[in-house]
Amino acid sequence: MSEISWRGHRHLLTMNQFSRKDIEDIHHFSHILKPYSREGNKLSILKGSILQSVLFEHSTRTLKRHESAMKIMGGDCLSPHLSITSSMEKGESETDTVITYAQNADILAIRHPSPNSVYLFAERINELKNNTTRIINCGNGPDEHPTQALLDYHTIMEELGTLDDLIWLIVGDLEYGRPVHSHMIGTQKFSNNKIIGFPVGGLSLQKERRTSGYEEFDLDYLYKIPSEIPPDSNVVLYATRIQFERIARKRYPDYDNFDEARKRQIRDEIYREFQYQITLPLLDALPEKTRLLHPLPRGSEISDEVFFSNNPKVAPIEQIRYGVQTTMAYIALFSGKEDKLRKVETLWFKICYNSNRLLDEIFPN
Ligand code: NCD
């Protein structure tokens, strides 16, 4: 049976597996897939492919962008598996569940609270005979969220046009926020990125995740830093949710057995304790080429006023849409369909070329 892989990797597990060129190519394919993420323009690249979402933690955006991407490209999805678990260790029955799905689907989009989970599942799947199922890591506990990082890079490329020479201001939960951890790896593939962390309430980035040049300051300084940033800089203001459920499990070992009302009470207490907010005056003070990103869901860190404003610096809603294109791109690549994407690319170049010719005819020099 032929091995399906992309650039030597069967599964999409960590930002470590990608080179700068890989990330740029994923962005490029995401970009050319944009017209197809609209109504009426569908593809058949993944006809016959089946995706199974396997969620041991909740998910809305990640689940929906995978389903949407599959459907736009002519593939199918089995109904998602949702079984919330607090286990920091992967139980044997979970492996059996994953193996069962691997024998029924071509792609597994997995989210699990344990950092080791996706690696162990991948090992087991690799041992299966006559099986080419790929795993997409959609969040392995507090460790990583590589597909969120990829869609963030696509968003930044579309909005700011570069992944080099950026000033990243990362705010919120740096200890447990897994997209942040993937960015600590991903941003290093590009040059001259300055990463400044603003942890809330001591939720600092672990020493072993810090890269050279990384600096961390108290939150107060975030509101003062704009005056120190050159006005022509490209800035990514990356806000993150406080991962209340991970903090709660640490504080209350029995948290998962609490009733819903008690869980909500604990969530609200933790949100109050670690509260922060991105304000419009802060955004106004930052350079013109600033984009506020947030992996979502948001707590009170972005108010409705900011979230729904038409301010071009506020990008989380666009980010959701860019996520669909990015998901289409990496699913197609990890399904061995780069040649099909190249055909879409040719068509895209033809359309651009012809529309330029048309423009030349309408507006001759
Ligand atoms: C993030 C996640 O689950 O890691 N959200 C997402 O995938 N869009 C961030 C979060 O949980 O806060």
Side-chain angles (χ1 to χ4, degrees), residues 57 111 141-142 145 172-181 203 240-250 267 270-271 274 294-297 301:
E57 284 183 355
R111 170 170 287 184
H145 195 343
D173 186 346
L174 279 51
E175 183 172 349
Y176 299 109
R178 51 195 171 196
V180 173
H181 302 160
L203 296 168
T240 62
R241 178 180 74 93
I242 303 302
Q243 302 274 311
F244 72 88
E245 65 278 33
R246 301 187 208 286
I247 298 169
R249 283 191 191 116
K250 215 168 162 188
R267 179 195 65 192
I270 294 175
Y271 274 164
F274 294 93
H294 191 309
L296 303 177
E301 62 276 7

PDB file of all heavy atoms in Angstrom, residues 57 111 141-142 145 172-181 203 240-250 267 270-271 274 294-297 301:
ATOM      1  N   GLU A  57     -11.726  16.825  24.195  1.00  0.00           N
ATOM      2  CA  GLU A  57     -11.988  18.137  24.792  1.00  0.00           C
ATOM      3  C   GLU A  57     -12.939  18.852  23.836  1.00  0.00           C
ATOM      4  O   GLU A  57     -12.976  18.515  22.649  1.00  0.00           O
ATOM      5  CB  GLU A  57     -10.707  18.980  24.842  1.00  0.00           C
ATOM      6  CG  GLU A  57      -9.723  18.625  25.910  1.00  0.00           C
ATOM      7  CD  GLU A  57      -8.523  19.590  25.898  1.00  0.00           C
ATOM      8  OE1 GLU A  57      -8.419  20.448  25.016  1.00  0.00           O
ATOM      9  OE2 GLU A  57      -7.705  19.466  26.792  1.00  0.00           O
ATOM     10  N   ARG A 111      -8.185  15.905  19.295  1.00  0.00           N
ATOM     11  CA  ARG A 111      -7.878  16.838  20.387  1.00  0.00           C
ATOM     12  C   ARG A 111      -7.972  16.055  21.692  1.00  0.00           C
ATOM     13  O   ARG A 111      -8.947  15.342  21.923  1.00  0.00           O
ATOM     14  CB  ARG A 111      -8.871  17.994  20.381  1.00  0.00           C
ATOM     15  CG  ARG A 111      -8.786  18.874  21.591  1.00  0.00           C
ATOM     16  CD  ARG A 111      -9.598  20.120  21.436  1.00  0.00           C
ATOM     17  NE  ARG A 111      -8.981  21.052  20.503  1.00  0.00           N
ATOM     18  CZ  ARG A 111      -9.453  22.267  20.237  1.00  0.00           C
ATOM     19  NH1 ARG A 111     -10.533  22.697  20.828  1.00  0.00           N
ATOM     20  NH2 ARG A 111      -8.827  23.052  19.390  1.00  0.00           N
ATOM     21  N   GLY A 141      -3.397  18.719  24.855  1.00  0.00           N
ATOM     22  CA  GLY A 141      -3.302  19.337  26.188  1.00  0.00           C
ATOM     23  C   GLY A 141      -2.743  20.735  26.080  1.00  0.00           C
ATOM     24  O   GLY A 141      -2.996  21.444  25.107  1.00  0.00           O
ATOM     25  N   PRO A 142      -1.927  21.123  27.082  1.00  0.00           N
ATOM     26  CA  PRO A 142      -1.369  22.472  27.038  1.00  0.00           C
ATOM     27  C   PRO A 142      -0.135  22.568  26.136  1.00  0.00           C
ATOM     28  O   PRO A 142       0.515  23.610  26.100  1.00  0.00           O
ATOM     29  CB  PRO A 142      -0.969  22.709  28.505  1.00  0.00           C
ATOM     30  CG  PRO A 142      -0.735  21.346  29.050  1.00  0.00           C
ATOM     31  CD  PRO A 142      -1.592  20.386  28.301  1.00  0.00           C
ATOM     32  N   HIS A 145      -0.729  23.422  19.417  1.00  0.00           N
ATOM     33  CA  HIS A 145      -1.913  23.504  18.553  1.00  0.00           C
ATOM     34  C   HIS A 145      -1.394  23.955  17.174  1.00  0.00           C
ATOM     35  O   HIS A 145      -1.602  25.094  16.757  1.00  0.00           O
ATOM     36  CB  HIS A 145      -2.904  24.508  19.144  1.00  0.00           C
ATOM     37  CG  HIS A 145      -4.277  24.438  18.568  1.00  0.00           C
ATOM     38  ND1 HIS A 145      -4.562  23.800  17.375  1.00  0.00           N
ATOM     39  CD2 HIS A 145      -5.465  24.951  19.003  1.00  0.00           C
ATOM     40  CE1 HIS A 145      -5.851  23.917  17.126  1.00  0.00           C
ATOM     41  NE2 HIS A 145      -6.415  24.604  18.104  1.00  0.00           N
ATOM     42  N   GLY A 172      -1.946  37.125  27.955  1.00  0.00           N
ATOM     43  CA  GLY A 172      -2.938  36.227  28.541  1.00  0.00           C
ATOM     44  C   GLY A 172      -2.307  35.040  29.244  1.00  0.00           C
ATOM     45  O   GLY A 172      -1.417  35.187  30.080  1.00  0.00           O
ATOM     46  N   ASP A 173      -2.771  33.844  28.849  1.00  0.00           N
ATOM     47  CA  ASP A 173      -2.327  32.611  29.493  1.00  0.00           C
ATOM     48  C   ASP A 173      -1.196  31.983  28.684  1.00  0.00           C
ATOM     49  O   ASP A 173      -1.424  31.228  27.746  1.00  0.00           O
ATOM     50  CB  ASP A 173      -3.522  31.656  29.599  1.00  0.00           C
ATOM     51  CG  ASP A 173      -3.183  30.397  30.388  1.00  0.00           C
ATOM     52  OD1 ASP A 173      -1.981  30.140  30.627  1.00  0.00           O
ATOM     53  OD2 ASP A 173      -4.126  29.674  30.748  1.00  0.00           O
ATOM     54  N   LEU A 174       0.027  32.314  29.056  1.00  0.00           N
ATOM     55  CA  LEU A 174       1.190  31.808  28.305  1.00  0.00           C
ATOM     56  C   LEU A 174       1.634  30.448  28.818  1.00  0.00           C
ATOM     57  O   LEU A 174       2.395  29.738  28.160  1.00  0.00           O
ATOM     58  CB  LEU A 174       2.355  32.813  28.392  1.00  0.00           C
ATOM     59  CG  LEU A 174       2.293  34.001  27.436  1.00  0.00           C
ATOM     60  CD1 LEU A 174       0.989  34.748  27.465  1.00  0.00           C
ATOM     61  CD2 LEU A 174       3.453  34.947  27.691  1.00  0.00           C
ATOM     62  N   GLU A 175       1.138  30.102  30.020  1.00  0.00           N
ATOM     63  CA  GLU A 175       1.518  28.822  30.611  1.00  0.00           C
ATOM     64  C   GLU A 175       0.762  27.666  29.938  1.00  0.00           C
ATOM     65  O   GLU A 175       1.361  26.652  29.560  1.00  0.00           O
ATOM     66  CB  GLU A 175       1.236  28.831  32.118  1.00  0.00           C
ATOM     67  CG  GLU A 175       1.679  27.555  32.804  1.00  0.00           C
ATOM     68  CD  GLU A 175       1.588  27.640  34.326  1.00  0.00           C
ATOM     69  OE1 GLU A 175       1.375  28.742  34.864  1.00  0.00           O
ATOM     70  OE2 GLU A 175       1.730  26.581  34.970  1.00  0.00           O
ATOM     71  N   TYR A 176      -0.535  27.829  29.771  1.00  0.00           N
ATOM     72  CA  TYR A 176      -1.347  26.724  29.243  1.00  0.00           C
ATOM     73  C   TYR A 176      -1.826  26.946  27.804  1.00  0.00           C
ATOM     74  O   TYR A 176      -2.359  26.016  27.197  1.00  0.00           O
ATOM     75  CB  TYR A 176      -2.582  26.506  30.124  1.00  0.00           C
ATOM     76  CG  TYR A 176      -2.259  26.127  31.555  1.00  0.00           C
ATOM     77  CD1 TYR A 176      -2.470  27.015  32.594  1.00  0.00           C
ATOM     78  CD2 TYR A 176      -1.743  24.870  31.853  1.00  0.00           C
ATOM     79  CE1 TYR A 176      -2.184  26.668  33.904  1.00  0.00           C
ATOM     80  CE2 TYR A 176      -1.451  24.506  33.159  1.00  0.00           C
ATOM     81  CZ  TYR A 176      -1.670  25.411  34.184  1.00  0.00           C
ATOM     82  OH  TYR A 176      -1.389  25.072  35.477  1.00  0.00           O
ATOM     83  N   GLY A 177      -1.695  28.157  27.283  1.00  0.00           N
ATOM     84  CA  GLY A 177      -2.234  28.455  25.947  1.00  0.00           C
ATOM     85  C   GLY A 177      -1.418  27.764  24.864  1.00  0.00           C
ATOM     86  O   GLY A 177      -0.339  28.194  24.485  1.00  0.00           O
ATOM     87  N   ARG A 178      -1.978  26.691  24.304  1.00  0.00           N
ATOM     88  CA  ARG A 178      -1.162  25.869  23.389  1.00  0.00           C
ATOM     89  C   ARG A 178      -0.857  26.532  22.048  1.00  0.00           C
ATOM     90  O   ARG A 178       0.224  26.283  21.498  1.00  0.00           O
ATOM     91  CB  ARG A 178      -1.819  24.496  23.208  1.00  0.00           C
ATOM     92  CG  ARG A 178      -3.295  24.553  22.839  1.00  0.00           C
ATOM     93  CD  ARG A 178      -3.940  23.190  23.046  1.00  0.00           C
ATOM     94  NE  ARG A 178      -5.379  23.261  22.899  1.00  0.00           N
ATOM     95  CZ  ARG A 178      -6.219  22.340  23.316  1.00  0.00           C
ATOM     96  NH1 ARG A 178      -5.766  21.267  23.915  1.00  0.00           N
ATOM     97  NH2 ARG A 178      -7.508  22.456  23.141  1.00  0.00           N
ATOM     98  N   PRO A 179      -1.739  27.405  21.513  1.00  0.00           N
ATOM     99  CA  PRO A 179      -1.319  28.064  20.269  1.00  0.00           C
ATOM    100  C   PRO A 179      -0.040  28.885  20.478  1.00  0.00           C
ATOM    101  O   PRO A 179       0.823  28.941  19.592  1.00  0.00           O
ATOM    102  CB  PRO A 179      -2.506  28.960  19.905  1.00  0.00           C
ATOM    103  CG  PRO A 179      -3.692  28.341  20.591  1.00  0.00           C
ATOM    104  CD  PRO A 179      -3.135  27.774  21.869  1.00  0.00           C
ATOM    105  N   VAL A 180       0.085  29.481  21.659  1.00  0.00           N
ATOM    106  CA  VAL A 180       1.295  30.265  21.972  1.00  0.00           C
ATOM    107  C   VAL A 180       2.527  29.366  21.890  1.00  0.00           C
ATOM    108  O   VAL A 180       3.575  29.748  21.353  1.00  0.00           O
ATOM    109  CB  VAL A 180       1.188  30.876  23.392  1.00  0.00           C
ATOM    110  CG1 VAL A 180       2.489  31.548  23.803  1.00  0.00           C
ATOM    111  CG2 VAL A 180       0.016  31.848  23.485  1.00  0.00           C
ATOM    112  N   HIS A 181       2.391  28.144  22.401  1.00  0.00           N
ATOM    113  CA  HIS A 181       3.536  27.224  22.411  1.00  0.00           C
ATOM    114  C   HIS A 181       3.937  26.838  20.982  1.00  0.00           C
ATOM    115  O   HIS A 181       5.119  26.705  20.679  1.00  0.00           O
ATOM    116  CB  HIS A 181       3.216  25.991  23.265  1.00  0.00           C
ATOM    117  CG  HIS A 181       2.857  26.356  24.677  1.00  0.00           C
ATOM    118  ND1 HIS A 181       2.163  25.520  25.515  1.00  0.00           N
ATOM    119  CD2 HIS A 181       3.089  27.495  25.394  1.00  0.00           C
ATOM    120  CE1 HIS A 181       1.992  26.131  26.687  1.00  0.00           C
ATOM    121  NE2 HIS A 181       2.538  27.322  26.626  1.00  0.00           N
ATOM    122  N   LEU A 203       0.804  33.625  34.839  1.00  0.00           N
ATOM    123  CA  LEU A 203       0.711  32.479  33.912  1.00  0.00           C
ATOM    124  C   LEU A 203       1.790  32.612  32.831  1.00  0.00           C
ATOM    125  O   LEU A 203       1.520  32.827  31.640  1.00  0.00           O
ATOM    126  CB  LEU A 203      -0.696  32.403  33.299  1.00  0.00           C
ATOM    127  CG  LEU A 203      -1.838  32.127  34.287  1.00  0.00           C
ATOM    128  CD1 LEU A 203      -3.200  32.353  33.626  1.00  0.00           C
ATOM    129  CD2 LEU A 203      -1.752  30.707  34.844  1.00  0.00           C
ATOM    130  N   THR A 240      -4.927  35.773  24.256  1.00  0.00           N
ATOM    131  CA  THR A 240      -5.354  34.389  24.505  1.00  0.00           C
ATOM    132  C   THR A 240      -6.311  34.313  25.691  1.00  0.00           C
ATOM    133  O   THR A 240      -6.277  35.154  26.587  1.00  0.00           O
ATOM    134  CB  THR A 240      -4.158  33.461  24.800  1.00  0.00           C
ATOM    135  OG1 THR A 240      -3.519  33.925  25.994  1.00  0.00           O
ATOM    136  CG2 THR A 240      -3.164  33.434  23.664  1.00  0.00           C
ATOM    137  N   ARG A 241      -7.117  33.298  25.637  1.00  0.00           N
ATOM    138  CA  ARG A 241      -8.066  33.011  26.705  1.00  0.00           C
ATOM    139  C   ARG A 241      -7.325  32.429  27.914  1.00  0.00           C
ATOM    140  O   ARG A 241      -6.328  31.727  27.744  1.00  0.00           O
ATOM    141  CB  ARG A 241      -9.056  31.963  26.169  1.00  0.00           C
ATOM    142  CG  ARG A 241     -10.091  31.475  27.125  1.00  0.00           C
ATOM    143  CD  ARG A 241     -10.982  30.448  26.426  1.00  0.00           C
ATOM    144  NE  ARG A 241     -10.317  29.151  26.234  1.00  0.00           N
ATOM    145  CZ  ARG A 241     -10.384  28.130  27.073  1.00  0.00           C
ATOM    146  NH1 ARG A 241     -11.068  28.244  28.188  1.00  0.00           N
ATOM    147  NH2 ARG A 241      -9.775  26.983  26.808  1.00  0.00           N
ATOM    148  N   ILE A 242      -7.828  32.719  29.097  1.00  0.00           N
ATOM    149  CA  ILE A 242      -7.302  32.053  30.294  1.00  0.00           C
ATOM    150  C   ILE A 242      -7.870  30.627  30.279  1.00  0.00           C
ATOM    151  O   ILE A 242      -9.084  30.437  30.220  1.00  0.00           O
ATOM    152  CB  ILE A 242      -7.750  32.800  31.580  1.00  0.00           C
ATOM    153  CG1 ILE A 242      -7.299  34.273  31.546  1.00  0.00           C
ATOM    154  CG2 ILE A 242      -7.224  32.084  32.835  1.00  0.00           C
ATOM    155  CD1 ILE A 242      -5.814  34.508  31.400  1.00  0.00           C
ATOM    156  N   GLN A 243      -6.992  29.638  30.317  1.00  0.00           N
ATOM    157  CA  GLN A 243      -7.424  28.237  30.210  1.00  0.00           C
ATOM    158  C   GLN A 243      -7.947  27.781  31.577  1.00  0.00           C
ATOM    159  O   GLN A 243      -7.305  26.991  32.284  1.00  0.00           O
ATOM    160  CB  GLN A 243      -6.239  27.367  29.769  1.00  0.00           C
ATOM    161  CG  GLN A 243      -5.630  27.814  28.433  1.00  0.00           C
ATOM    162  CD  GLN A 243      -6.342  27.210  27.250  1.00  0.00           C
ATOM    163  OE1 GLN A 243      -6.569  26.015  27.200  1.00  0.00           O
ATOM    164  NE2 GLN A 243      -6.709  28.039  26.286  1.00  0.00           N
ATOM    165  N   PHE A 244      -9.137  28.285  31.925  1.00  0.00           N
ATOM    166  CA  PHE A 244      -9.667  28.109  33.278  1.00  0.00           C
ATOM    167  C   PHE A 244      -9.790  26.625  33.654  1.00  0.00           C
ATOM    168  O   PHE A 244      -9.580  26.235  34.795  1.00  0.00           O
ATOM    169  CB  PHE A 244     -11.021  28.823  33.425  1.00  0.00           C
ATOM    170  CG  PHE A 244     -12.135  28.137  32.702  1.00  0.00           C
ATOM    171  CD1 PHE A 244     -12.874  27.150  33.313  1.00  0.00           C
ATOM    172  CD2 PHE A 244     -12.425  28.463  31.382  1.00  0.00           C
ATOM    173  CE1 PHE A 244     -13.882  26.495  32.636  1.00  0.00           C
ATOM    174  CE2 PHE A 244     -13.434  27.817  30.698  1.00  0.00           C
ATOM    175  CZ  PHE A 244     -14.160  26.818  31.317  1.00  0.00           C
ATOM    176  N   GLU A 245     -10.110  25.779  32.653  1.00  0.00           N
ATOM    177  CA  GLU A 245     -10.349  24.366  32.982  1.00  0.00           C
ATOM    178  C   GLU A 245      -9.062  23.686  33.445  1.00  0.00           C
ATOM    179  O   GLU A 245      -9.094  22.822  34.324  1.00  0.00           O
ATOM    180  CB  GLU A 245     -10.996  23.627  31.797  1.00  0.00           C
ATOM    181  CG  GLU A 245     -10.167  23.492  30.538  1.00  0.00           C
ATOM    182  CD  GLU A 245     -10.187  24.722  29.622  1.00  0.00           C
ATOM    183  OE1 GLU A 245     -10.281  25.849  30.141  1.00  0.00           O
ATOM    184  OE2 GLU A 245     -10.054  24.555  28.399  1.00  0.00           O
ATOM    185  N   ARG A 246      -7.922  24.097  32.874  1.00  0.00           N
ATOM    186  CA  ARG A 246      -6.651  23.480  33.298  1.00  0.00           C
ATOM    187  C   ARG A 246      -6.249  23.999  34.681  1.00  0.00           C
ATOM    188  O   ARG A 246      -5.728  23.256  35.510  1.00  0.00           O
ATOM    189  CB  ARG A 246      -5.554  23.757  32.261  1.00  0.00           C
ATOM    190  CG  ARG A 246      -5.932  23.202  30.892  1.00  0.00           C
ATOM    191  CD  ARG A 246      -4.824  23.284  29.860  1.00  0.00           C
ATOM    192  NE  ARG A 246      -5.399  23.372  28.530  1.00  0.00           N
ATOM    193  CZ  ARG A 246      -5.968  22.364  27.868  1.00  0.00           C
ATOM    194  NH1 ARG A 246      -5.990  21.166  28.399  1.00  0.00           N
ATOM    195  NH2 ARG A 246      -6.503  22.546  26.679  1.00  0.00           N
ATOM    196  N   ILE A 247      -6.516  25.287  34.917  1.00  0.00           N
ATOM    197  CA  ILE A 247      -6.217  25.861  36.241  1.00  0.00           C
ATOM    198  C   ILE A 247      -7.135  25.201  37.283  1.00  0.00           C
ATOM    199  O   ILE A 247      -6.701  24.824  38.367  1.00  0.00           O
ATOM    200  CB  ILE A 247      -6.418  27.395  36.209  1.00  0.00           C
ATOM    201  CG1 ILE A 247      -5.432  28.013  35.204  1.00  0.00           C
ATOM    202  CG2 ILE A 247      -6.249  28.009  37.598  1.00  0.00           C
ATOM    203  CD1 ILE A 247      -5.682  29.461  34.868  1.00  0.00           C
ATOM    204  N   ALA A 248      -8.410  25.028  36.915  1.00  0.00           N
ATOM    205  CA  ALA A 248      -9.388  24.445  37.843  1.00  0.00           C
ATOM    206  C   ALA A 248      -9.005  23.020  38.219  1.00  0.00           C
ATOM    207  O   ALA A 248      -9.088  22.627  39.384  1.00  0.00           O
ATOM    208  CB  ALA A 248     -10.779  24.473  37.206  1.00  0.00           C
ATOM    209  N   ARG A 249      -8.538  22.235  37.232  1.00  0.00           N
ATOM    210  CA  ARG A 249      -8.168  20.836  37.539  1.00  0.00           C
ATOM    211  C   ARG A 249      -6.978  20.772  38.483  1.00  0.00           C
ATOM    212  O   ARG A 249      -6.860  19.851  39.276  1.00  0.00           O
ATOM    213  CB  ARG A 249      -7.834  20.091  36.241  1.00  0.00           C
ATOM    214  CG  ARG A 249      -9.072  19.712  35.478  1.00  0.00           C
ATOM    215  CD  ARG A 249      -8.780  18.756  34.337  1.00  0.00           C
ATOM    216  NE  ARG A 249      -9.972  18.674  33.513  1.00  0.00           N
ATOM    217  CZ  ARG A 249     -10.043  19.069  32.251  1.00  0.00           C
ATOM    218  NH1 ARG A 249      -8.981  19.533  31.634  1.00  0.00           N
ATOM    219  NH2 ARG A 249     -11.173  18.964  31.589  1.00  0.00           N
ATOM    220  N   LYS A 250      -6.115  21.780  38.369  1.00  0.00           N
ATOM    221  CA  LYS A 250      -4.960  21.816  39.249  1.00  0.00           C
ATOM    222  C   LYS A 250      -5.407  22.167  40.680  1.00  0.00           C
ATOM    223  O   LYS A 250      -4.934  21.594  41.657  1.00  0.00           O
ATOM    224  CB  LYS A 250      -3.976  22.869  38.745  1.00  0.00           C
ATOM    225  CG  LYS A 250      -2.534  22.497  38.966  1.00  0.00           C
ATOM    226  CD  LYS A 250      -1.642  23.411  38.198  1.00  0.00           C
ATOM    227  CE  LYS A 250      -0.241  23.330  38.735  1.00  0.00           C
ATOM    228  NZ  LYS A 250       0.614  24.350  38.119  1.00  0.00           N
ATOM    229  N   ARG A 267     -15.306  28.671  36.886  1.00  0.00           N
ATOM    230  CA  ARG A 267     -14.834  29.361  35.673  1.00  0.00           C
ATOM    231  C   ARG A 267     -14.905  30.877  35.873  1.00  0.00           C
ATOM    232  O   ARG A 267     -13.934  31.592  35.602  1.00  0.00           O
ATOM    233  CB  ARG A 267     -15.716  28.960  34.483  1.00  0.00           C
ATOM    234  CG  ARG A 267     -15.308  29.641  33.190  1.00  0.00           C
ATOM    235  CD  ARG A 267     -16.380  29.546  32.120  1.00  0.00           C
ATOM    236  NE  ARG A 267     -17.575  30.287  32.531  1.00  0.00           N
ATOM    237  CZ  ARG A 267     -18.753  30.211  31.934  1.00  0.00           C
ATOM    238  NH1 ARG A 267     -18.926  29.426  30.896  1.00  0.00           N
ATOM    239  NH2 ARG A 267     -19.788  30.916  32.365  1.00  0.00           N
ATOM    240  N   ILE A 270     -12.235  32.152  38.239  1.00  0.00           N
ATOM    241  CA  ILE A 270     -10.896  32.178  37.631  1.00  0.00           C
ATOM    242  C   ILE A 270     -10.797  33.313  36.605  1.00  0.00           C
ATOM    243  O   ILE A 270      -9.810  34.044  36.575  1.00  0.00           O
ATOM    244  CB  ILE A 270     -10.547  30.796  37.012  1.00  0.00           C
ATOM    245  CG1 ILE A 270     -10.417  29.757  38.138  1.00  0.00           C
ATOM    246  CG2 ILE A 270      -9.259  30.858  36.188  1.00  0.00           C
ATOM    247  CD1 ILE A 270     -10.185  28.332  37.689  1.00  0.00           C
ATOM    248  N   TYR A 271     -11.842  33.480  35.795  1.00  0.00           N
ATOM    249  CA  TYR A 271     -11.833  34.590  34.825  1.00  0.00           C
ATOM    250  C   TYR A 271     -11.686  35.937  35.533  1.00  0.00           C
ATOM    251  O   TYR A 271     -10.978  36.820  35.073  1.00  0.00           O
ATOM    252  CB  TYR A 271     -13.108  34.581  33.975  1.00  0.00           C
ATOM    253  CG  TYR A 271     -13.013  33.683  32.739  1.00  0.00           C
ATOM    254  CD1 TYR A 271     -14.163  33.304  32.049  1.00  0.00           C
ATOM    255  CD2 TYR A 271     -11.793  33.228  32.244  1.00  0.00           C
ATOM    256  CE1 TYR A 271     -14.106  32.493  30.912  1.00  0.00           C
ATOM    257  CE2 TYR A 271     -11.721  32.416  31.126  1.00  0.00           C
ATOM    258  CZ  TYR A 271     -12.874  32.052  30.455  1.00  0.00           C
ATOM    259  OH  TYR A 271     -12.818  31.259  29.342  1.00  0.00           O
ATOM    260  N   PHE A 274      -8.053  36.418  36.781  1.00  0.00           N
ATOM    261  CA  PHE A 274      -7.020  36.651  35.754  1.00  0.00           C
ATOM    262  C   PHE A 274      -7.513  37.618  34.662  1.00  0.00           C
ATOM    263  O   PHE A 274      -7.122  37.518  33.516  1.00  0.00           O
ATOM    264  CB  PHE A 274      -6.631  35.319  35.087  1.00  0.00           C
ATOM    265  CG  PHE A 274      -5.942  34.364  36.018  1.00  0.00           C
ATOM    266  CD1 PHE A 274      -6.658  33.411  36.720  1.00  0.00           C
ATOM    267  CD2 PHE A 274      -4.569  34.426  36.209  1.00  0.00           C
ATOM    268  CE1 PHE A 274      -6.036  32.518  37.584  1.00  0.00           C
ATOM    269  CE2 PHE A 274      -3.924  33.543  37.072  1.00  0.00           C
ATOM    270  CZ  PHE A 274      -4.665  32.586  37.767  1.00  0.00           C
ATOM    271  N   HIS A 294      -6.747  36.302  17.862  1.00  0.00           N
ATOM    272  CA  HIS A 294      -7.157  35.536  19.049  1.00  0.00           C
ATOM    273  C   HIS A 294      -7.627  34.179  18.542  1.00  0.00           C
ATOM    274  O   HIS A 294      -8.463  34.123  17.629  1.00  0.00           O
ATOM    275  CB  HIS A 294      -8.291  36.276  19.769  1.00  0.00           C
ATOM    276  CG  HIS A 294      -8.614  35.739  21.137  1.00  0.00           C
ATOM    277  ND1 HIS A 294      -8.852  34.395  21.383  1.00  0.00           N
ATOM    278  CD2 HIS A 294      -8.733  36.367  22.340  1.00  0.00           C
ATOM    279  CE1 HIS A 294      -9.100  34.228  22.673  1.00  0.00           C
ATOM    280  NE2 HIS A 294      -9.034  35.393  23.277  1.00  0.00           N
ATOM    281  N   PRO A 295      -7.123  33.078  19.111  1.00  0.00           N
ATOM    282  CA  PRO A 295      -7.561  31.768  18.601  1.00  0.00           C
ATOM    283  C   PRO A 295      -9.037  31.487  18.904  1.00  0.00           C
ATOM    284  O   PRO A 295      -9.628  30.611  18.273  1.00  0.00           O
ATOM    285  CB  PRO A 295      -6.648  30.762  19.309  1.00  0.00           C
ATOM    286  CG  PRO A 295      -6.052  31.486  20.469  1.00  0.00           C
ATOM    287  CD  PRO A 295      -6.099  32.956  20.152  1.00  0.00           C
ATOM    288  N   LEU A 296      -9.592  32.220  19.860  1.00  0.00           N
ATOM    289  CA  LEU A 296     -10.979  32.028  20.312  1.00  0.00           C
ATOM    290  C   LEU A 296     -11.150  30.633  20.936  1.00  0.00           C
ATOM    291  O   LEU A 296     -10.392  29.733  20.595  1.00  0.00           O
ATOM    292  CB  LEU A 296     -11.975  32.266  19.176  1.00  0.00           C
ATOM    293  CG  LEU A 296     -11.905  33.645  18.509  1.00  0.00           C
ATOM    294  CD1 LEU A 296     -12.909  33.706  17.357  1.00  0.00           C
ATOM    295  CD2 LEU A 296     -12.179  34.758  19.518  1.00  0.00           C
ATOM    296  N   PRO A 297     -12.072  30.402  21.842  1.00  0.00           N
ATOM    297  CA  PRO A 297     -13.121  31.322  22.262  1.00  0.00           C
ATOM    298  C   PRO A 297     -12.583  32.461  23.122  1.00  0.00           C
ATOM    299  O   PRO A 297     -11.554  32.303  23.785  1.00  0.00           O
ATOM    300  CB  PRO A 297     -14.047  30.426  23.079  1.00  0.00           C
ATOM    301  CG  PRO A 297     -13.165  29.348  23.624  1.00  0.00           C
ATOM    302  CD  PRO A 297     -12.129  29.116  22.565  1.00  0.00           C
ATOM    303  N   GLU A 301     -11.499  39.174  27.633  1.00  0.00           N
ATOM    304  CA  GLU A 301     -10.282  39.864  27.184  1.00  0.00           C
ATOM    305  C   GLU A 301     -10.495  40.695  25.924  1.00  0.00           C
ATOM    306  O   GLU A 301      -9.736  41.611  25.636  1.00  0.00           O
ATOM    307  CB  GLU A 301      -9.107  38.876  27.011  1.00  0.00           C
ATOM    308  CG  GLU A 301      -9.269  37.780  25.985  1.00  0.00           C
ATOM    309  CD  GLU A 301     -10.004  36.559  26.502  1.00  0.00           C
ATOM    310  OE1 GLU A 301     -10.506  36.605  27.634  1.00  0.00           O
ATOM    311  OE2 GLU A 301     -10.099  35.561  25.763  1.00  0.00           O
TER     312      GLU A 301
END
